[in-house]
Amino acid sequence: MSRSSIAPYITAWSAEQDLPCALVERPDRSIGYASELLSDRDRHGVLWQQTALRHGVGRPEFARVHPLRQRRAMELLLCQVCGGPADQNEDGVLWLQRDCRGDWPQWPDGMASAEPPVCLPCAATATRMCPALQRGAVTVRVRDCPVAGVRGVFYKQSVLAPTAATAGNFSYDDPAIRRVVASALIRELRGCVIVPLEELSGTMT
């Protein structure tokens, strides 16, 4: 049995705990790590949560997402389940989302998503096996999905060291992002068309 059949690619394993990185104030009023490496920041200069990379070691912790693998899947448009290329055609990249069509009329157009896309085989598998998706899921073709920001924790100034204050989504043009430790990359979904999974499955036969 392959690892992808045990747990999704982006799932964190029990051996992949957060690393002890001390936060410090920087002269420009941003935050950083006391012993910071170039790899601790993304190409936009945002600081990222550092987590051990031991994929497949221990047990999968389905409630946690590994920051590096999530970021890689989002940057390269990889399937969040198997880690291979996400399905993509002239109608767009394939996303699998919990059904929230009651949220607004054009849902999910304009939605900020931290969930990476999927490939066709994994869309069907995830719909069958994921308890959250069994309560209602839709497959969506997305024509445009620009990287928009990060999900993370904002740290306020404190006497001894920066202190966690607020968790949320932060766009790259938000000045507050200079004090954020990111844990997930976000893409904005635009030009969305909901396509029934049955229609997509028919293209595989």
Side-chain angles (χ1 to χ4, degrees):
M1 181 178 290
S2 67
R3 285 178 179 172
S4 63
S5 64
I6 299 171
Y9 170 72
I10 63 172
T11 297
W13 290 68
S14 57
E16 297 182 311
Q17 299 301 312
D18 293 344
L19 300 177
C21 299
L23 282 173
V24 296
E25 294 284 346
R26 293 170 40 147
D28 62 358
R29 296 189 178 180
S30 65
I31 58 172
Y33 291 134
S35 300
E36 189 172 311
L37 305 174
L38 287 176
S39 57
D40 291 335
R41 294 181 183 271
D42 63 23
R43 60 189 180 89
H44 296 276
V46 174
L47 194 65
W48 275 74
Q49 180 179 318
Q50 296 305 298
T51 304
L53 188 58
R54 303 187 69 190
H55 192 201
V57 179
R59 65 185 184 283
E61 298 186 345
F62 295 100
R64 290 200 305 126
V65 171
H66 193 280
L68 179 60
R69 289 197 295 278
Q70 187 276 349
R71 178 177 153 194
R72 181 174 184 269
M74 279 299 229
E75 286 178 338
L76 302 178
L77 293 177
L78 303 179
C79 174
Q80 62 169 290
V81 180
C82 69
D87 189 75
Q88 189 167 177
N89 62 19
E90 64 274 9
D91 295 321
V93 182
L94 185 65
W95 249 268
L96 179 63
Q97 297 285 341
R98 281 173 287 187
D99 192 346
C100 297
R101 279 176 279 191
D103 286 3
W104 68 84
Q106 288 79 36
W107 182 93
D109 221 305
M111 182 176 75
S113 178
E115 297 284 342
V118 292
C119 67
L120 273 175
C122 288
T125 301
T127 303
R128 289 196 310 269
M129 300 186 68
C130 176
L133 295 176
Q134 288 172 359
R135 293 192 290 270
V138 293
T139 41
V140 184
R141 288 287 184 190
V142 181
R143 288 188 178 276
D144 189 24
C145 50
V147 171
V150 300
R151 178 171 294 171
V153 177
F154 174 83
Y155 282 76
K156 65 182 181 180
Q157 287 184 310
S158 186
V159 175
L160 298 178
T163 304
T166 307
N169 296 343
F170 301 85
S171 64
Y172 276 119
D173 59 5
D174 183 348
I177 205 168
R178 299 163 67 248
R179 300 190 62 85
V180 168
V181 176
S183 57
L185 191 66
I186 290 173
R187 284 184 180 267
E188 182 181 346
L189 309 187
R190 302 175 182 171
C192 302
V193 177
I194 295 175
V195 183
L197 183 59
E198 302 76 38
E199 291 185 18
L200 293 169
S201 299
T203 66
M204 298 173 59
T205 59

